[in-house]
Amino acid sequence: MPAPPTTATPVLTPAMRAEIEAFIPRYPTKQAVTLPALHVVNEHLRCVPMEAIPEIASILELAPAQVYDTLSFYGFFKPSPCGKVRAWVCRSISCALRGGEEVLSALSDKLGVKAGQTTADGKVTLEFGECLGLCDFSPAMLAGTKVYKNMSVEQVDEVAALLKEQADQHG
Amino acid sequence: MAEFEPVLLANIHKTDSHTLPVYQAAGGYAALKKVLAGMSPVDVVELVKASGLRGRGGAGFPCGLKWSFLPKDHPGPIYMCVNADESEPATFNNRILMELDPHHVIEGIIIGCFATRASTAYVYVRYEYPTAFQRLQQAIDECYASGFLGKNIQGSPFSLDIFMHRGAAAYICGEETGLIESLEGKRAWPRIKPPFPAIEGAFRKPTVVNNIETMANVPHIVNRGADWFKSMGIPSTGPKDPGSYGPKLYCISGHVNKPGCYEMPLGITCRELIDRYGGGVWKGRKGKAAIPGGLSMGLFTEKEFDTPLDFAVPGKVGCLGLGTAAVTVMDETYSMIDYLHNACRFFAHESCGQCTPCREGTSWSERILTRIKHGKGRLKDLDILLSIAGAIGIIPGTTICGLADGAAWPIKNAINKFRGEFEDHIKRTNPTGYAQEEPAEALQLVELVH
Ligand SMILES: Cc1cc2nc3c(=O)[nH]c(=O)nc-3n(C[C@H](O)[C@H](O)[C@H](O)COP(=O)(O)O)c2cc1C
Ligand code: SF4
Ligand code: FES
């Protein structure tokens, strides 16, 4: 009998593997599937845990360090789970001109977290964003796939409640 | 110009404008059919060249000329990378096209691939555009189902696949070779050029990189001809100026009454954009300054608002160029220190870190501005900032890509055009230390703020 594998149960489920493998025919190299693979894992787990890296690497025939190198370049992928909703409040110029930074800090007070942190109930990760391409609706926020337009400091209670509601729907 | 008829935004107000039936009812895919029925790839390249279409992604490179740089008789594959990373602060025209008229964009891409003999196109969409991503994917699916994509498009010998590729929130992925590296699954470190992508691009094969808005112009050039395109805009002023022809999507945001995206012939002035389309400066205030074409381009003073927004003139008032033609207006109450702090923070955050002058220059600029903003500035800092700005970028020849030039121009323009305001702020907020030579508290304060 061969020795049982020493690794713990895989992080990637068969469904995740299948999703990743479906990208392979689209590109001339397997390495090009790195970002799609990281997105697949991130969508399922709300993070890309370190243990997922060798598993992705083996599907894509890469060294784990290559996958990690790419992952680490994009501050987007986090090692431990984000909240059920990830909300980016824009801090770039067009939003800043209309109070974007004040909205971010008011929302941060309301939720009791700093930008980059997740609320204690695990529902919302608040982040700052750089120009979200929503400057016609500034100050703007992207939460999951939902856009919050023309926000103001007066609305943050309502916005915080909506974010939690959004999180419950995703949960 | 009174008879100007918008073409790029002609469909966006229609119900279900993003669907194939609505696009076709408006004449969609007629240009593609015309190309497939009677034009060769070279014919299309020559037509686009004759139109004078210049890239809308920021650099303004003539589109047909770029296509003609691809090697002739290459065995393939040739790739097209469509740049939908749109992350230049103040810019959102690509988003509007992708969300509200995705087939328009796709038709341009298919014709562009036919012209360049590309067999696969990747559309690199920034992560923050989930609706654009979904609408384009839906449009692509409709195209496969209707024979506009896949093998033997509309019964012709031409075959093409288009794949969507999602970014991960990094501005540098908009730089064309950063985009290619990112597409290949690597960190988005821009490449040293040459070789240019046309010779060696994605997967080391010849590659064209074009912006979404550039591609959206192509079907109209096919339908209406190069002369129609050239009838709009500002003609070439000499052999070094390829002219500024055709319609353009201008974005306006910031301190105006009606932020939005408006289509006009190239060359309207910044003031016209603000007053006629943006509804004027908000709250009855006066304008103080404006970003001419995305944050990277620098700053117009109010006196410079009459500058035409074409490819040639913004450079003549000290700005970097037209960029993305996205104007952001600042009213008379807004502080240029806040503006510059915001700009420096953006570029420090987005520098890919590959070139030392850019990585260090952007990060020190941010730290110095943070210090000035918090009342610890010294007059000397203004010259330090200018020396950093003069030392980073492709123009001084110290960096690999243009992000550093984009970081330098806001500094140069803000300090050179508003020096008095910076000096006053520094003296007023740091009365005991403004003349200091050594930034004793600098590092400490930086730690505090971060
Ligand atoms: C830092 C940096 C960011 C850029 N971001 C974008 C972008 O988001 N979208 C874009 O189309 N071009 C962007 N560009 C310009 C591209 O490098 C390239 O010139 C353009 O995509 C070519 O397409 P076009 O000729 O159709 O404009 C950027 C350039 C730099 C230096
Ligand atoms: S100039 Fe800046 S962003 Fe561009 S490659 Fe160098 S370090 Fe990266
Ligand atoms: S500056 Fe906030 S969305 Fe563009």
Side-chain angles (χ1 to χ4, degrees):
Chain A
M1 281 266 299
T6 50
T7 50
T9 36
V11 178
L12 269 57
T13 61
M16 289 186 226
R17 297 184 73 91
E19 269 183 69
I20 293 169
E21 278 159 3
F23 279 99
I24 293 174
R26 296 182 171 196
Y27 303 92
T29 67
K30 287 190 173 174
Q31 186 168 17
V33 180
T34 304
L35 265 189
L38 293 170
H39 277 307
V40 166
V41 175
N42 191 56
E43 254 151 49
H44 284 271
L45 304 176
R46 285 184 266 123
C47 66
V48 181
M50 286 301 276
E51 303 78 55
I53 292 166
E55 295 177 34
I56 294 172
S58 90
I59 301 174
L60 303 183
E61 294 169 15
L62 298 168
Q66 286 172 291
V67 176
Y68 186 72
D69 186 61
T70 301
L71 173 150
S72 65
F73 180 80
Y74 305 92
F76 177 84
F77 302 105
K78 307 291 182 198
S80 52
C82 290
K84 288 182 181 149
V85 169
R86 224 169 144 180
W88 288 268
V89 181
C90 178
R91 67 171 190 178
S92 295
I93 190 70
S94 299
C95 289
L97 281 162
R98 288 173 163 255
E101 307 216 43
E102 291 77 6
V103 169
L104 175 58
S105 81
L107 199 53
S108 159
D109 290 347
K110 178 71 201 169
L111 293 169
V113 290
K114 288 197 201 135
Q117 297 176 339
T118 302
T119 53
D121 58 10
K123 289 187 181 175
V124 181
T125 299
L126 181 68
E127 307 207 31
F128 66 78
E130 297 290 4
C131 182
L132 304 168
L134 297 165
C135 332
D136 41 349
F137 304 120
S138 59
M141 175 174 83
L142 177 72
T145 59
K146 202 174 153 196
V147 168
Y148 289 71
K149 302 175 178 177
N150 302 116
M151 297 193 298
S152 67
V153 170
E154 292 73 45
Q155 293 167 349
V156 296
D157 289 1
E158 192 191 331
V159 168
L162 285 170
L163 286 172
K164 299 253 169 154
E165 210 174 283
Q166 217 183 316
D168 292 338
Q169 283 159 10
H170 285 232
Chain B
M1 276 192 198
E3 70 283 5
F4 173 69
E5 176 206 341
V7 292
L8 298 173
L9 298 184
N11 292 333
I12 63 166
H13 298 294
K14 295 175 186 159
T15 311
D16 292 331
S17 62
H18 60 285
T19 60
L20 182 57
V22 174
Y23 184 63
Q24 282 195 288
Y29 291 107
L32 175 62
K33 287 179 183 159
K34 183 173 168 183
V35 164
L36 294 176
M39 294 177 80
S40 71
V42 176
D43 293 340
V44 182
V45 174
E46 290 305 317
L47 174 69
V48 172
K49 233 190 210 175
S51 75
L53 170 65
R54 292 172 67 175
R56 302 314 199 213
F61 196 83
C63 181
L65 187 62
K66 176 150 73 183
W67 292 358
S68 72
F69 291 158
L70 290 160
K72 314 278 176 271
D73 309 318
H74 191 275
I78 291 172
Y79 295 108
M80 169 165 287
C81 292
V82 186
N83 194 339
D85 194 57
E86 187 168 71
S87 315
E88 178 66 30
T91 312
F92 47 91
N93 54 344
N94 289 0
R95 185 201 89 225
I96 288 173
L97 286 172
M98 292 188 282
E99 286 184 354
L100 298 175
D101 206 2
H103 279 286
H104 181 182
V105 170
I106 302 281
E107 185 176 11
I109 297 172
I110 301 173
I111 296 171
C113 288
F114 176 86
T116 55
R117 302 176 201 265
S119 52
T120 306
Y122 297 102
V123 186
Y124 192 111
V125 185
R126 68 179 301 196
Y127 179 80
E128 294 87 339
Y129 281 179
T131 305
F133 189 93
Q134 181 253 324
R135 289 270 168 92
L136 277 179
Q137 185 61 60
Q138 195 180 328
I140 289 170
D141 295 344
E142 285 178 307
C143 281
Y144 275 106
S146 313
F148 289 117
L149 279 175
K151 289 246 171 310
N152 302 110
I153 294 176
Q154 301 293 300
S156 77
F158 175 56
S159 300
L160 174 69
D161 286 313
I162 303 183
F163 298 118
M164 300 293 292
H165 193 90
R166 181 175 290 170
Y171 170 67
I172 196 58
C173 295
E175 197 280 340
E176 55 184 3
T177 57
L179 183 152
I180 288 171
E181 288 284 311
S182 178
L183 175 72
E184 291 183 0
K186 303 172 195 157
R187 53 175 61 218
W189 271 3
R191 294 177 183 169
I192 290 174
K193 289 168 262 189
F196 288 94
I199 306 300
E200 196 181 298
F203 310 106
R204 304 285 157 188
K205 300 292 183 196
T207 300
V208 270
V209 184
N210 275 122
N211 171 266
I212 289 283
E213 184 187 346
T214 311
M215 300 320 286
N217 275 285
V218 171
H220 303 293
I221 294 170
V222 169
N223 279 330
R224 295 161 187 248
D227 291 340
W228 162 80
F229 197 80
K230 280 204 138 164
S231 71
M232 284 169 276
I234 310 287
S236 155
T237 53
K240 281 197 172 158
D241 171 15
S244 301
Y245 300 104
K248 180 77 192 87
L249 297 182
Y250 288 97
C251 298
I252 181 155
S253 62
H255 290 163
V256 289
N257 286 312
K258 290 195 307 178
C261 176
Y262 303 96
E263 179 178 352
M264 257 93 57
L266 267 166
I268 68 147
T269 69
C270 180
R271 196 180 300 281
E272 215 180 330
L273 182 64
I274 297 168
D275 290 344
R276 258 184 72 196
Y277 298 90
V281 180
W282 75 347
K283 301 183 179 174
R285 292 180 190 157
K286 285 209 268 278
K288 176 174 178 179
I291 289 166
L295 187 63
S296 299
M297 294 300 120
L299 211 54
F300 284 156
T301 63
E302 200 276 339
K303 286 202 176 64
E304 292 162 348
F305 282 6
D306 294 307
T307 309
L309 297 168
D310 70 1
F311 285 108
V313 194
K316 294 184 181 149
V317 298
C319 295
L320 189 50
L322 177 68
T324 58
V327 169
T328 299
V329 179
M330 297 167 226
D331 75 23
E332 56 191 330
T333 68
Y334 192 67
S335 154
M336 290 299 109
I337 289 90
D338 288 346
Y339 152 78
L340 192 57
H341 173 257
N342 193 289
C344 289
R345 183 180 66 188
F346 175 80
F347 292 106
H349 189 256
E350 299 301 333
S351 167
C352 82
Q354 185 180 194
C355 318
T356 302
C358 171
R359 182 185 65 245
E360 298 301 314
T362 54
S363 122
W364 277 105
S365 312
E366 183 200 356
R367 291 184 232 183
I368 295 172
L369 258 306
T370 302
R371 196 148 50 73
I372 295 176
K373 189 172 157 152
H374 289 83
K376 300 284 181 193
R378 305 162 308 144
L379 292 176
K380 190 186 169 181
D381 290 331
L382 301 178
D383 294 320
I384 295 176
L385 284 166
L386 286 176
S387 81
I388 293 173
I392 63 173
I394 293 181
I395 291 171
T398 59
T399 66
I400 292 172
C401 94
L403 180 140
D405 302 83
W409 252 257
I411 299 175
K412 292 186 194 186
N413 284 181
I415 297 182
N416 289 330
K417 295 181 182 186
F418 292 93
R419 185 155 190 137
E421 180 177 342
F422 279 87
E423 291 182 351
D424 290 348
H425 170 92
I426 292 169
K427 287 184 185 164
R428 182 170 46 79
T429 57
N430 191 13
T432 55
Y434 69 85
Q436 225 181 326
E437 292 285 304
E438 286 307 312
E441 292 169 88
L443 289 169
Q444 197 197 347
L445 193 84
V446 168
E447 299 299 326
L448 264 176
V449 170
H450 275 256

